[in-house]
Amino acid sequence: MLLGITVIVFLIMSLIPGDPATAILGAYATPENVEKLNRDLGLDRPMVERYFIWLGNMLQGDFGRSFSLNRPVIDEVAERFSATLVLAGTSFVLCALFGIAAGVVSAVRQYGLADRLITFAVLIGISVPSFFLGMIMILFFAVRLRWFPVSGMYAIYGGGDLADLLHHLVMPAVALAAVAAGVVARLSRSAMLEVLRQDYIRTARAKGLRERRVIFGHALRSAMVSIIPVLGLQAGFVLSGAVYIETVFQWPGVGRMLVDAILKRDLMLVQGGVVFVAAAYVLFNIAVDVAQALLDPRIKT
């Protein structure tokens, strides 16, 4: 999967109109300077040769050097990824907790008032794009009510502690988690309803077990086998959604870095950033597969 991603990213960046050397040189882009820079960067070589040189360097830990920042790509991506990890990790935890909780309550109270309210809220959450929800939240909670800061990760003056970080994190994390939480809630409800109809659930209730133990000790554990793969998919949505959420809230993460790098035609930074994020997503999905196998021993066979 990672190999396929490297091919796609390299092809897309190679086919973008314009000359990277001209963008780098700016006002100094004379024909002689452009030709020399293309030769120094290896851009005058065939595309296939350039791809394998780039891939070989990456396998040795060398993601190249960003011309716009004048520093190694891996250093910039690693520094920015910590901010993205805070935002995406918080959003993922929120979507998992609230999504599963809403799905369980909706399934247990099927066709009741709670089920109808949760279904309505989930429908709105899924229908509204994260970036639009983010802008609405900025307008209402930041501009009008002044409860939260408009943008950034820390206050410009003062702050810098955990409380300041959490204060800046609330709106982007909620905006990014809303759609994912809706998807998790819908599928959690379906999984729980299917499990609650099983014979062993009726047997557990007939034995006189408490309803809470039946729901959380038996039904939810069985339903998690179907819910965990959905969480893995939503992790990818959260990582990709961080690109526009970080742009809306000016969050200093990988997503904002990629947007700036694309505008500056910083090919190495874009390619390295996308591959790094893709590798993190693949590793997370491997962890999800392992967790699913631990919950359901049948998968091992």
Side-chain angles (χ1 to χ4, degrees):
M1 184 181 294
L2 284 175
L3 183 63
I5 290 172
T6 61
V7 173
I8 293 173
V9 171
F10 185 84
L11 285 177
I12 290 176
M13 296 307 299
S14 298
L15 296 176
I16 290 179
D19 184 10
T22 303
I24 294 172
L25 291 172
Y28 301 96
T30 62
E32 296 78 10
N33 290 337
V34 170
E35 182 180 357
K36 182 179 184 302
L37 185 57
N38 279 327
R39 186 169 56 253
D40 294 339
L41 297 177
L43 296 176
D44 58 338
R45 300 180 182 181
M47 183 185 299
V48 176
E49 183 180 353
R50 285 190 282 121
Y51 168 74
F52 281 106
I53 292 175
W54 173 63
L55 181 63
N57 291 334
M58 278 203 307
L59 292 176
Q60 300 176 42
D62 181 11
F63 281 66
R65 192 172 186 87
S66 167
F67 75 83
S68 62
L69 301 174
N70 194 27
R71 64 179 304 193
V73 169
I74 189 64
D75 293 344
E76 179 67 16
V77 172
E79 181 180 313
R80 294 294 193 105
F81 189 72
S82 60
T84 297
L85 193 60
V86 170
L87 174 59
T90 304
S91 299
F92 179 77
V93 171
L94 290 176
C95 83
L97 291 179
F98 286 100
I100 294 175
V104 171
V105 173
S106 185
V108 172
R109 306 294 183 185
Q110 187 180 15
Y111 303 130
L113 179 61
D115 183 22
R116 296 178 186 276
L117 291 176
I118 291 174
T119 302
F120 180 72
V122 166
L123 181 61
I124 294 178
I126 293 177
S127 303
V128 179
S130 296
F131 68 89
F132 181 75
L133 178 60
M135 291 187 289
I136 294 298
M137 293 177 70
I138 290 175
L139 179 62
F140 188 74
F141 292 107
V143 177
R144 292 192 177 182
L145 297 179
R146 299 183 183 275
W147 287 357
F148 301 103
V150 175
S151 62
M153 188 173 178
Y154 293 103
I156 299 177
Y157 301 105
D161 55 3
L162 180 60
D164 188 30
L165 172 62
L166 294 176
H167 195 210
H168 284 76
L169 181 61
V170 171
M171 287 203 301
V174 171
L176 185 56
V179 175
V183 174
V184 173
R186 289 188 63 179
L187 295 176
S188 298
R189 180 181 184 274
S190 300
M192 282 293 295
L193 287 175
E194 183 178 353
V195 171
L196 290 174
R197 298 189 186 103
Q198 300 299 316
D199 292 336
Y200 68 89
I201 297 296
R202 286 193 290 267
T203 302
R205 285 170 171 164
K207 287 182 177 181
L209 293 179
R210 293 182 178 180
E211 185 67 13
R212 180 176 297 181
R213 184 175 179 185
V214 172
I215 297 299
F216 295 101
H218 296 278
L220 181 57
R221 183 176 180 181
S222 299
M224 286 300 295
V225 176
S226 301
I227 296 174
I228 284 181
V230 179
L231 294 177
L233 293 175
Q234 296 313 303
F237 170 81
V238 167
L239 278 175
S240 60
V243 173
Y244 44 83
I245 288 296
E246 288 179 359
T247 303
V248 170
F249 288 94
Q250 294 298 295
W251 190 267
V254 174
R256 184 181 171 192
M257 178 203 75
L258 289 175
V259 173
D260 293 339
I262 291 172
L263 295 176
K264 297 175 181 177
R265 289 192 55 81
D266 195 336
L267 302 183
M268 286 296 181
L269 188 56
V270 175
Q271 293 170 180
V274 172
V275 171
F276 191 90
V277 173
Y281 177 54
V282 170
L283 291 175
F284 183 84
N285 272 271
I286 293 174
V288 167
D289 292 339
V290 172
Q292 190 178 14
L294 292 176
L295 284 175
D296 189 358
R298 295 173 299 177
I299 298 177
K300 299 178 182 179
T301 59

